[in-house]
Amino acid sequence: TKVSQKCAPHLSWQQSYTTQDPGIDQNYLDGYGWVNLVSSEGIFETQNLRVTIGFWEAGLTYPKHAHGPEEWYVILSGHCAINSAGREMRSCQRCDIIHHFPGQKHDVQGGDEDVLLMAFWRGDDLHAKSQIGTTS
């Protein structure tokens, strides 16, 4: 994929979604991926934490989704807007940190640059697929 060509091709980039998921098309799949650095399946193995690097090509939007674990995003590169339930949309850039409570709905809207972020998860079901396409 373009993701593995642009971002550390020696890592095992993965995807959570398919075109069967709401808001996901082939363009999205061609321009996003993630790799676990720390998890039960990561480069460093632990059962209590998941640290993931995520990549989105410029202009992509990670549709509204929610998940059980608590989450922190750290923007490593690029710009995006993050819309989290109960908060005003936030314009984010490198070094910004965004927190999501368990089950809090949120989306990430890409801008004119590729976005690389680190996500820290803690809590239950660290490997459960996020519920994409949640409403309200």
Side-chain angles (χ1 to χ4, degrees):
T1 68
K2 290 189 282 185
V3 171
S4 63
Q5 293 167 1
K6 286 179 121 176
C7 295
H10 56 281
L11 295 174
S12 179
W13 291 91
Q14 300 181 50
Q15 296 183 319
S16 302
Y17 308 108
T18 71
T19 55
Q20 301 302 306
D21 291 297
I24 302 297
D25 60 15
Q26 192 58 51
N27 183 58
Y28 182 87
L29 295 175
D30 288 343
Y32 109 101
W34 54 266
V35 62
N36 282 329
L37 299 179
V38 178
S39 76
S40 62
E41 304 166 348
I43 296 167
F44 179 81
E45 293 183 21
T46 183
Q47 302 296 319
N48 304 317
L49 180 67
R50 181 177 173 187
V51 179
T52 302
I53 298 288
F55 172 85
W56 285 266
E57 213 169 43
L60 290 182
T61 293
Y62 186 2
K64 188 173 290 194
H65 62 284
H67 37 74
E70 184 175 21
E71 172 183 68
W72 289 265
Y73 284 151
V74 178
I75 309 301
L76 300 176
S77 180
H79 298 89
C80 62
I82 296 181
N83 186 23
S84 305
R87 298 184 193 145
E88 291 190 27
M89 184 175 292
R90 179 174 171 188
S91 178
C92 300
Q93 60 187 350
R94 186 172 53 88
C95 297
D96 283 345
I97 300 171
I98 299 88
H99 175 256
H100 294 117
F101 295 102
Q104 185 177 17
K105 298 170 187 166
H106 55 284
D107 61 69
V108 180
Q109 299 175 17
D112 58 357
E113 298 180 11
D114 296 343
V115 174
L116 188 68
L117 62 77
M118 185 175 289
F120 294 81
W121 278 20
R122 71 174 183 181
D124 295 330
D125 299 324
L126 291 175
H127 292 287
K129 181 178 171 179
S130 295
Q131 297 301 307
I132 200 165
T134 57
T135 57
S136 60

